[in-house]
Amino acid sequence: MHVDEFLDPKILIVSGKGGVGKTTVAAALALVAARHGRKVCMAEIDRKGTLPKLFGGGEVTYEPRELSPGVWGLNIIPEDALAEYLRVQYHMSRISRVFRSTHFVDYITTAAPGLKDILVLGKIWYLEQDRDHGGGAHGFDTIIVDAPAAGHMATFLKAPQGLADAVRLGPVRRQSEWLNDMLTDPKRSRVHLVSLAEEIPASETLETSEALDKELGISQGAVFANAVYSRLLMDEEADEFERIAADGKIDELCDVAKASGINLDDDDLGALHGYARFLKARRNIQSQHLRKLSRGVTQPVMELPFLFSAGLALPDIETLADVIEEQMETL
Amino acid sequence: MSAARARLNPIGEIVDHKEIVVCAGSGGVGKTTTAAAIALQAALDGKKVAVLTIDPAKRLASSLGLKELTNEPSKVSKRKFTSAGLEMKGELWALMLDTKTTFDEVVTRYAPSPEQAERILENRFYRNISSTLSGTQEYMAMEKLYELHADGAYDIIVIDTPPTRNALDFLDAPRRLTDFFESRVLRWFLMPYMKAGGGIFRVANVAATTFLRVVKRIIGGDVLQDTAEFFSNLEGMYDGFKERAREVSALLQSDATSFVIVTSPGEDSVMEATFFAARLNEAGLPFGALIVNRVHPKLGDGVDVKPRQLTKLEKQGDQGQLLAKLIDNEEAFMRVVRLEEKNLNALARKIPKHRWVRVPYLEQEAVDFAGLSLIADKLFEA
Ligand SMILES: Nc1ncnc2c1ncn2[C@@H]1O[C@H](COP(=O)(O)OP(=O)(O)O)[C@@H](O)[C@H]1O
Ligand SMILES: [Mg+2]
């Protein structure tokens, strides 16, 4: 598949269970898009996220800011989104303090469940339509949404439908229909799911994928199976080592090492053995869930490597972006 | 297990002496599994245990041999233990928080009359609260905990906490909810909808009316009506709520309770755990232990090899190549181990190491009964 096709819709929604690497994968996708000349906006939703840290610090606010060349970031805070909405819709330029109070936003989103999600999606719509509300139009080519954790994701994406059903007439009804159109048009939006190759996240990914398909009719791109241990050592090689140890021929190996100036003591041998076993055991578990994922979804499953580096920073995200690009070609 | 264990292991000590164990930590670190494993071990030890889970994975019920988990405790069959070769001297009961049902019970309890309770329960705004208003789930978890404890039927209650992104959220939840109900802002703008005294609508100032007009356009007039009714019906119940909230926090602060912080060795979750420990302290809540879950095992001290030596080794035939790969693999894992240690060191300054328990990243998944009991073994190991 050509990269352009993969990155086609303007809105890429990245979701998955908390802690599986959503933000990390979203950032890698952003780099891929930026490498292909796109002006990218990464949207975090209502949180002090990990995004700024990945790009070397600073803060991400409601106003988009360039984090690295071609990659911008913003944090969609519902309170701010409400203020923008009221300003645009009702020309309330001096937003009353009441509207900004947390109690009020809590109230209004409880009175009309889903409204918070609508406000967030509404901001994404503004970005997609490139509406200039005073901050200047940005002209983003790609908008990557670091979406709420999978559990809340269906509710999040279903919000416009829900509100459209609840409100029969008027501007709000019309606007929720616009949002629903935005989400269900495969030329405009696509969801990428991030998972780990482990029981609980993989099962949840399958459920989410099915719900997206059946209940929401939202187009899906890839499932990213994140943090898969690499094949630094194949199972057969681990087995070979076990055999040598069982045959009492470890000394031969130690002699080979010594010839290269390496002295291996018993602790070292224990560690080599232990980590070989650990890798094999975890990879077994991962393979099992990778199979389950591939069988369970129609979209491609992309494996992303577990990164053994000391802390994830921009170079690591670049590595993940490389891997994504490579795999995109073979799709 | 014995007194010897209790002295050596912080989790063992907690289980031996406390009535309530609260497992807290940021999302995705394994709180639910940890809570279940602690409960399982306590039951093995001979206690009558209830474990209150929140949003558990679907597999949890079946791994305990239950069809489903509900808002009322279900007993885990003794057979589950015997078939795993374990002798269980106590009882294990498991439940899953149902926020809505618990809230309904609270309303029924505090409403001055059954009619008033009915009016609230049927109110549309009220019905949205349990699914939508943030803080509700946390508040109801505490409520359910209080109820189970007051019931007196259990020796020990282990409770999981909601999967907030922020581990601190649930500490603030009860406060947040009662504040919301008493919000002056809401009262101010709902004023025109509230019946004052003799049932006459009192129109507030112009600002409130303008404001109301906008809100009405967004959410509709009948919704406003519903909420105004909800808030009027709630009058007279605040004192009950607040009194209960006070009792709950007194219980959490008491000697009977212990907070266990669960973290992964990842940087974000460690940072979260550090804040959380400080907050517990500020709030006068009893900290019991830190569980570091899924730590990569540390095997050896790192093989001492220079890149030049490794290149040479690779040229030494099949055996040399095999060895080079084994060393590569070992070095990769050691990098992760060192990184995790570095992350965790930040915590050591806040929480003394003797209150720590590490659960290694296992070579198997903890998704069935055997897995849970393996985690329990690791948790209670000295
Ligand atoms: N491929 C990977 N290899 C190693 N660690 C990873 C990888 N992807 C993510 N992580 C780590 O996992 C943790 C959670 O990642 P993050 O992207 O913040 O998750 P989420 O956004 O889903 O909560 C972080 O500490 C991150 O550094
Ligand atoms: Mg994230």
Side-chain angles (χ1 to χ4, degrees), chain A residues 17-24 50 226-227 305-307 312 320, chain B residues 267-268:
Chain A
K17 201 174 151 54
V20 296
K22 238 175 342 118
T23 307
T24 311
T50 34
N226 190 27
F306 182 92
L307 295 174
L312 286 194
L320 291 179
Chain B
E267 192 179 350
D268 304 333

Side-chain angles (χ1 to χ4, degrees), chain B residues 141-155:
Chain B
M142 295 301 123
E143 178 62 36
K144 190 78 198 173
L145 169 68
Y146 187 85
E147 212 180 278
L148 284 168
H149 185 256
D151 188 20
Y154 303 96
D155 301 323

Side-chain angles (χ1 to χ4, degrees), chain B residues 114-139:
Chain B
E115 293 74 32
Q116 190 167 336
E118 203 53 33
R119 277 200 299 277
I120 295 177
L121 297 183
E122 277 169 10
N123 182 281
R124 205 161 39 158
F125 181 78
Y126 168 75
R127 291 211 301 258
N128 290 339
I129 287 183
S130 54
S131 58
T132 314
L133 186 59
S134 54
T136 312
Q137 197 184 29
E138 288 85 347
Y139 184 90

Side-chain angles (χ1 to χ4, degrees), chain B residues 228-272:
Chain B
E229 268 168 33
F230 169 76
F231 281 102
S232 326
N233 275 317
L234 218 57
E235 289 302 339
M237 290 172 60
Y238 298 116
D239 290 342
F241 276 146
K242 286 217 303 226
E243 178 52 31
R244 181 64 154 228
R246 251 196 306 276
E247 283 166 8
V248 172
S249 54
L251 176 62
L252 291 179
Q253 284 171 343
S254 79
D255 257 2
T257 303
S258 185
F259 281 79
V260 169
I261 300 178
V262 187
T263 184
S264 78
E267 192 179 350
D268 304 333
S269 119
V270 165
M271 228 149 70
E272 208 40 58

Side-chain angles (χ1 to χ4, degrees), chain A residues 38-52:
Chain A
R38 294 173 189 231
K39 183 168 177 186
V40 187
C41 180
M42 288 195 65
E44 286 201 284
I45 296 174
D46 193 20
R47 85 194 103 175
K48 263 221 202 72
T50 34
L51 188 55

